Amino acid sequence: MINAGMIGFGTVGTGTTKILLENRDILRERIGFEINLKKIATRDIHKDRGIKLPEGMLTSDVDAVLNDPDIQIVVELIGGIIPAKDYILKAIKNGKHVVTANKALLATDGVEIFTAAQNAGVEIGFEASVAGGIPIIKVIREGLVADRIKAVYGIINGTSNYILTKMTDENVEFSVVLKDAQQLGYAEADPTLDIEGIDSAHKLAILAYLAYGIPFPFNDIYIEGISNISPQDINFASDLGYKVKLLAIAKETDGEIELRVHPTIIPKNYLISKVDGPFNAVYIDGDATGSTLYYGRGAGAMPTGSAVVSDIVNIARDIRKNVAERVPVVVKPARDVRIKNMNDITSMYYFRFSALDRPGVLSKISGVLGNYNISIASVIQKGRRVGEAVPLVVLTHEAKEKDVRMAIEEIDRLPVVMDRTVFIRVEDKEEN
Ligand code: NDP
Ligand code: HSE
């Protein structure tokens, strides 16, 4: 029998507990021994979580888990940096293996934690930290171990995807859908992490660390969330055959790595466009395997609990066999690669100008775009209101981000442009 102890009994904690208790028999049958959840520490031991626990399992004393000599695996499910980091480091110091879903912590302090674990000869399981129920960590570490990863594109925040889907399909207001996502257990304790793209960036940092073997500085990742996406842009994009998704992108270009999270317009016929609601998807381009796509529930108690339990089982099997983990996380990178400056990336763009409906206005705008080497792919004026501002939607061919920002700055100063221009990056390979 292997004993596990858990800290944190919220959404993921209850999902994990349910699986460990209800699927105890099937787990025993599959692995040949018992996984025993011995203790759960949480702040409020009186809150009803809808699960009947064996007598004495619940405690408000975290040290009862961290210092219990019979507990070999500590599962951290409280989230945030402090005190989660202290608890994990203490568990490692006490010779315990750790399982965590804490992407915020691993994205910022991952190297310190992985180094401490390797020095202590214990494992860190973190399957639940990215894309909930999709076993994407195992895919990159083990399934694609032979590949040089060229690019990773992911919809890896269930909350944002749920909000964008409801705004697209049902025209529901942003704030109403966010409340829904919180009630359904998808959102972080602080939901600005979800809607401002930070949670996606945490997960991207972890995926890129594994894909390229380099712990990139989290603060160098370009991050833009969905809070400024308006129903108007979703509708215009839809009329043009596109959808708006919050994409996390890691790709190697010109010896540098692009790491960016931002709303992205993608053709409706892309598989990833069909990933709706709280679902996540990760597309990986490897030099040997080519393209692969992984899809599933990215948030919520049971899918994430399943990922946590799979880590517990993996580690328990390693303990029983007395072997080390199969593919360790690199803590001393063999190469130093920089994150590409956002100004140097190239992309296609969607612009929505708020321009006066008057002859000659389009030529003024296209003149500025031309001066910055931005070539127009298509233009649509939405509506007709002579002498008033109307939305003018422009799709471009590939352009440099720096040129786009300078062009927009200049265009927004034109007397015929009445409001700030909206721009959204477009990923559409067929346009290239
Ligand atoms: P919740 O807020 O639902 O649960 C957090 C739990 O931690 C609560 O039970 C809380 O106690 C407990 N807790 C907080 N601080 C302490 C402390 N100092 N000591 C002891 N217990 C503490 O969070 P989630 O379950 O949603 O998330 C947990 C982790 O999983 C986070 O890192 C999150 O990012 C990650 N994650 C979440 C997913 C999801 O779908 N929700 C998916 C993937 C990852 P109490 O309830 O007693 O007050
Ligand atoms: N808040 C996260 C999301 C939970 O919405 O994707 C899963 O990591």
Side-chain angles (χ1 to χ4, degrees), residues 298-375:
M302 297 305 275
T304 315
S306 165
V308 172
V309 174
S310 94
D311 273 341
I312 297 174
V313 167
N314 275 347
I315 293 175
R317 293 179 73 219
D318 289 349
I319 296 172
R320 293 275 292 206
K321 298 264 178 216
N322 198 19
V323 292
E325 63 190 329
R326 279 185 274 202
V327 186
V329 173
V330 173
V331 290
K332 288 199 182 102
R335 59 181 189 147
D336 182 23
V337 182
R338 276 180 354 119
I339 297 183
K340 193 173 209 144
N341 188 308
M342 195 59 190
N343 274 328
D344 297 332
I345 71 137
T346 57
S347 174
M348 287 169 282
Y349 292 83
Y350 159 103
F351 298 135
R352 176 168 51 81
F353 301 106
S354 181
L356 279 187
D357 189 2
R358 186 195 284 169
V361 169
L362 179 59
S363 72
K364 282 201 172 66
I365 291 175
S366 60
V368 177
L369 293 176
N371 290 343
Y372 285 96
N373 281 319
I374 301 164
S375 151

Side-chain angles (χ1 to χ4, degrees), residues 30-80:
R30 282 182 180 157
I31 62 177
F33 60 90
E34 189 92 27
I35 304 269
N36 177 45
L37 182 58
K38 189 170 180 221
K39 276 182 198 142
I40 302 174
T42 196
R43 278 180 309 209
D44 179 355
I45 58 168
H46 302 294
K47 207 189 278 182
D48 179 14
R49 324 258 174 178
I51 306 184
K52 188 156 172 36
L53 294 179
E55 195 72 26
M57 190 189 271
L58 206 55
T59 173
S60 57
D61 179 11
V62 172
D63 280 332
V65 171
L66 294 174
N67 294 334
D68 184 331
D70 293 335
I71 289 178
Q72 291 129 300
I73 303 171
V74 168
V75 184
E76 180 277 309
L77 295 175
I78 65 178

Side-chain angles (χ1 to χ4, degrees), residues 131 134-136 139 144 151-156 247 266 269-275 279-286 289-296:
I134 309 173
I136 197 67
V139 163
L144 297 179
V152 179
Y153 290 80
I155 294 176
I156 47 180
L247 280 199
I266 47 178
N269 64 1
Y270 274 22
L271 278 178
I272 208 163
S273 277
K274 302 183 192 339
V275 176
F279 281 83
N280 281 194
V282 183
Y283 163 96
I284 302 181
D285 189 11
T289 309
S291 305
T292 50
L293 180 65
Y294 310 87
Y295 169 82

Side-chain angles (χ1 to χ4, degrees), residues 54-308:
E55 195 72 26
M57 190 189 271
L58 206 55
T59 173
S60 57
D61 179 11
V62 172
D63 280 332
V65 171
L66 294 174
N67 294 334
D68 184 331
D70 293 335
I71 289 178
Q72 291 129 300
I73 303 171
V74 168
V75 184
E76 180 277 309
L77 295 175
I78 65 178
I81 309 298
I82 302 293
K85 182 178 172 185
D86 298 337
Y87 294 159
I88 288 179
L89 290 176
K90 188 164 179 188
I92 293 170
K93 195 161 163 250
N94 288 351
K96 298 182 193 309
H97 302 270
V98 171
V99 173
T100 179
N102 196 333
K103 56 260 168 153
L105 179 61
L106 293 181
T108 53
D109 298 63
V111 184
E112 186 182 343
I113 288 164
F114 291 120
T115 306
Q118 287 180 17
N119 289 341
V122 297
E123 294 183 29
I124 306 286
F126 54 103
E127 187 61 69
S129 65
V130 183
I134 309 173
I136 197 67
I137 301 293
K138 197 169 236 167
V139 163
I140 299 187
R141 285 174 90 181
E142 298 185 25
L144 297 179
V145 70
D147 279 60
R148 214 172 266 280
I149 307 286
K150 295 196 280 185
V152 179
Y153 290 80
I155 294 176
I156 47 180
N157 184 263
T159 304
S160 304
N161 203 41
Y162 181 77
I163 293 173
L164 286 175
T165 304
K166 288 272 181 187
M167 285 171 76
T168 307
D169 295 350
E170 297 168 34
N171 248 320
V172 189
E173 232 178 84
F174 193 104
S175 57
V176 176
V177 200
L178 173 59
K179 269 205 191 96
D180 254 22
Q182 285 177 294
Q183 266 158 16
L184 289 163
Y186 305 148
E188 294 301 300
D190 172 5
T192 53
L193 295 178
D194 296 294
I195 61 180
E196 295 306 345
I198 301 160
D199 179 73
S200 291
H202 287 147
K203 294 165 178 165
L204 182 67
I206 296 170
L207 293 181
Y209 184 2
L210 298 179
Y212 300 105
I214 300 165
F216 297 101
F218 179 74
N219 288 335
D220 290 353
I221 299 177
Y222 178 81
I223 309 173
E224 215 180 280
I226 61 163
S227 56
N228 291 324
I229 293 295
S230 70
Q232 200 181 15
D233 293 311
I234 290 177
N235 291 335
F236 289 164
S238 176
D239 291 350
L240 292 162
Y242 292 93
K243 272 196 176 180
V244 182
K245 293 286 180 193
L246 183 68
L247 280 199
I249 300 171
K251 63 175 170 184
E252 189 154 10
T253 48
D254 317 318
E256 292 180 314
I257 308 286
E258 294 181 25
L259 286 187
R260 47 192 170 101
V261 172
H262 49 72
T264 310
I265 287 182
I266 47 178
K268 278 182 186 168
N269 64 1
Y270 274 22
L271 278 178
I272 208 163
S273 277
K274 302 183 192 339
V275 176
D276 284 330
F279 281 83
N280 281 194
V282 183
Y283 163 96
I284 302 181
D285 189 11
D287 67 343
T289 309
S291 305
T292 50
L293 180 65
Y294 310 87
Y295 169 82
R297 287 188 184 275
M302 297 305 275
T304 315
S306 165
V308 172

